[in-house]
Amino acid sequence: MRIDLHIHSTASDGSLSPSALVWAARAGGLDIIAIADHDTVAGIGEARAASQDRVHVIPALEFSTTHDCGEVHILGYFIDPAYSDLLAYTLDAVEKRRERVRGMLARLAPYGISVTLDEVVQLAEPGTRMLGRPHIARALVRRGFVQTVSEAFDRFLGDSAPAFLPTELISPRNAIELIHAAGGLAVWAHPRISTLEREIDRFVSWGLDGLECYRPNASASDIRFIEALSSRRGLMVTGGSDWHGAWQGKLGDFYVNGSDIEALLDAGGI
Ligand code: AMP
Ligand code: FE
Ligand code: FE
Ligand code: ZN
């Protein structure tokens, strides 16, 4: 069985619509996928409708949380996408992310870059509501202010770059609680080893269920570290490509096997 538990659609900053993702996953030989968009569950319904059970779609999302040490992404798997508090969170996130983009655009003005929020929305994929830095980066490319998305991040949008503003949506603790209330499992996405070592006790005390371990560019030593820590702390391990579009290769080239993530599949009743 070939599985990818971390894929983004146009519901957030991915480049394929949820249904196109399902077709690409099938063409790429995947059996199970999780659509894990930033702060939204808006793509799940369309993906499930398109899948016709040929690809199993696990409902998920990726929370952008704010912690003392900066931004931490927490994945929620097997959540009920219709859970009211979760929907309230995503509606709030749409507004806050829109205001953040407005603020970042204002910070670009001193560099002679004038792009409006409407232009960013118009240049985004149809249907995009959950705006983020990639949408700004693509608008800067389209308008000729930079040559590539990487240049946009390096010069302006990266975590330490001059136009950056943090997403201030939710704490890790509250995200974990919301995931549990929505019937799901909470997994720390792409953890940095240094942060993990320092923070793991607190996250476990807040109810964390798992750590994302298998990723396209993860080093063998990081994988061994996360596997060992997970087994010591009774956490599940998960894996996924964090795929946003064709520039990251072909969907399905990276996958995990059912045996790698058995505990999560069992807990989700798969
Ligand atoms: P945001 O959630 O708005 O802070 O944007 C974060 C997203 O930007 C990540 O999920 C990636 O999709 C993308 N991203 C972050 N850093 C880079 C980078 N250096 N180059 C290209 N995309 C990036
Ligand atoms: Fe992203
Ligand atoms: Fe992430
Ligand atoms: Zn992601």
Side-chain angles (χ1 to χ4, degrees):
M1 216 157 42
R2 297 184 175 204
I3 304 165
D4 186 342
L5 292 177
H6 192 153
I7 305 178
H8 293 269
S9 80
T10 49
S12 65
D13 58 6
S15 63
L16 290 189
S17 68
S19 39
L21 265 186
V22 168
W23 299 323
R26 219 174 119 62
L30 294 170
D31 303 295
I32 301 177
I33 61 171
I35 307 270
D37 276 307
H38 299 288
D39 305 301
T40 182
V41 290
I44 293 168
E46 182 187 319
R48 287 194 140 169
S51 73
Q52 297 177 335
D53 294 330
R54 283 186 291 239
V55 176
H56 187 103
V57 177
I58 294 174
L61 80 164
E62 183 177 20
F63 283 88
S64 311
T65 81
T66 313
H67 188 46
D68 320 337
C69 56
E71 192 160 307
V72 171
H73 288 181
I74 309 270
L75 293 153
Y77 289 111
F78 303 110
I79 40 83
D80 170 6
Y83 182 65
S84 59
D85 288 359
L86 192 57
L87 291 175
Y89 168 79
T90 70
L91 287 177
D92 180 56
V94 167
E95 290 309 315
K96 287 196 174 137
R97 276 180 164 277
R98 184 177 288 269
E99 283 315 304
R100 170 182 178 241
V101 166
R102 213 193 285 280
M104 292 181 76
L105 293 174
R107 286 172 161 251
L108 287 169
Y111 298 90
I113 296 177
S114 75
V115 176
T116 64
L117 182 64
D118 283 346
E119 286 171 306
V120 172
V121 172
Q122 268 157 28
L123 292 171
E125 306 292 336
T128 304
R129 294 183 70 231
M130 196 61 78
L131 296 177
R133 286 183 280 166
H135 303 107
I136 305 178
R138 290 173 209 158
L140 295 187
V141 173
R142 292 284 290 276
R143 289 284 310 278
F145 290 112
V146 294
Q147 293 192 62
T148 61
V149 164
S150 316
E151 185 190 342
F153 272 88
D154 290 347
R155 287 178 57 198
F156 302 114
L157 305 173
D159 294 8
S160 324
F164 175 74
L165 287 174
T167 50
E168 284 172 326
L169 297 174
I170 193 169
S171 67
R173 182 183 194 156
N174 287 343
I176 293 168
E177 283 171 5
L178 183 50
I179 290 165
H180 288 164
L185 297 166
V187 172
W188 189 338
H190 44 76
R192 277 182 39 202
I193 301 296
S194 55
T195 316
L196 200 51
E197 285 179 307
R198 204 178 55 239
E199 303 292 336
I200 189 66
D201 286 339
R202 283 208 277 176
F203 279 62
V204 167
S205 77
W206 296 333
L208 186 74
D209 300 293
L211 298 174
E212 191 177 52
C213 179
Y214 309 110
R215 313 191 315 110
N217 296 315
S219 70
S221 68
D222 285 4
I223 289 177
R224 276 198 304 276
F225 180 90
I226 294 174
E227 284 175 340
L229 179 65
S230 300
S231 88
R232 269 204 315 280
R233 307 304 297 253
L235 298 168
M236 301 170 192
V237 288
T238 71
S241 61
D242 208 352
W243 197 85
H244 289 72
W247 65 89
Q248 289 173 288
K250 197 163 136 285
L251 197 62
D253 284 357
F254 174 88
Y255 61 89
V256 294
N257 295 297
S259 54
D260 297 327
I261 57 160
E262 212 170 350
L264 183 93
L265 297 179
D266 281 352
I270 295 180

